[in-house]
């Protein structure tokens, strides 16, 4: 992985390690009562399963070129046969109230936040969630601000999952918790199209 992108070509040449890691998850049991372990486990599985799904069909230009990539294809992981959408929406978003998940689940599109070259661990999960959220919300690639005109363009992620970001105010209130250069509170919000081109290394 380089600069938040994935070298799918190299992994396709030698997928054994990735396959072994994912296969090993079937012998591990995690309980949602241990929230940090449960969340870290399923975030890692999601990101690795995305990579495996792309590698199996590579070369492709976008995850959307693979029919049913998110909602139909089942992965044998974590003792379950489960889709990517089920991991994201049922096991993570559905069980825990944390909008920061959107900044660590990497869907293989360039519109996603960057992937990190390390595992999410229970002991460091909160700081990793915090770091990745700050990186995204301070990035000009993710949020486009025109301070003079008091306008801000947000990723469509924030439109699709508006309810996750507006529990304690609006999207700008959420963003400004993490942003160094605050966005004016009365800025007009719009959304730019999501970039589904593959997050492949250049």
């Amino acid at each position: 992985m380089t600069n938040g992108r994935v070298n799918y070509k190299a992994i396709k040449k030698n997928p054994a390690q990735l396959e072994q890691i994912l296969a090993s998850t079937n012998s591990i049991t995690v309980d949602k009562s241990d929230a940090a372990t449960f969340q870290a486990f399923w975030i890692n599985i999601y990101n690795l399963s995305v990579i495996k799904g792309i590698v199996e069909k590579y070369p492709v230009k976008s995850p959307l070129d693979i029919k049913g990539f998110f909602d139909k294809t089942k992965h044998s992981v974590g003792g379950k046969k489960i889709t990517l959408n089920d991991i994201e929406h049922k096991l993570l978003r559905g069980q825990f109230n944390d909008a920061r998940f959107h900044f660590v689940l990497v869907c293989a599109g360039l519109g996603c936040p960057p992937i990190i070259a390390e595992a999410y661990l229970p002991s460091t999960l909160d700081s990793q969630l915090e770091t990745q959220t700050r990186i995204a919300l301070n990035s000009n690639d993710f949020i486009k601000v025109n301070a003079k005109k008091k306008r801000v363009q947000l990723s469509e992620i924030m439109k699709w999952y508006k309810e996750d970001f507006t529990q304690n105010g609006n999207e700008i209130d959420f963003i400004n918790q993490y942003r160094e250069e605050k966005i004016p509170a009365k800025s007009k919000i719009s959304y730019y199209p999501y970039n589904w081109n593959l997050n492949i290394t250049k």
Side-chain angles (χ1 to χ4, degrees), residues 12-73:
K12 188 172 181 83
K13 282 184 182 172
N14 185 16
Q17 188 178 12
L18 174 62
E19 289 169 0
Q20 283 166 6
I21 291 168
L22 284 168
S24 73
T25 67
N26 284 306
S27 60
I28 300 168
T29 304
V30 292
D31 191 281
K32 70 177 184 184
S33 62
D34 181 355
T37 299
F38 186 93
Q39 290 170 21
F41 181 73
W42 285 109
I43 290 166
N44 291 326
I45 284 184
Y46 181 94
N47 289 340
L48 291 173
S49 297
V50 166
I51 293 170
K52 183 171 186 279
I54 295 292
V55 164
E56 285 174 346
K57 301 292 185 180
Y58 190 80
V60 292
K61 292 184 177 174
S62 165
L64 297 187
D65 291 346
I66 304 170
K67 193 174 179 184
F69 186 77
F70 293 104
D71 61 348
K72 296 278 193 310
T73 302

Side-chain angles (χ1 to χ4, degrees), residues 100-117:
R100 297 176 301 171
F101 290 143
H102 295 290
F103 305 105
V104 298
L105 296 170
V106 183
C107 67
L110 285 174
C112 301
I115 194 164
I116 61 173

Side-chain angles (χ1 to χ4, degrees), residues 162-173:
K162 191 180 180 86
E163 70 272 19
D164 292 9
F165 299 105
T166 55
Q167 296 170 74
N168 300 301
N170 65 13
E171 296 99 313
I172 292 173
D173 295 326

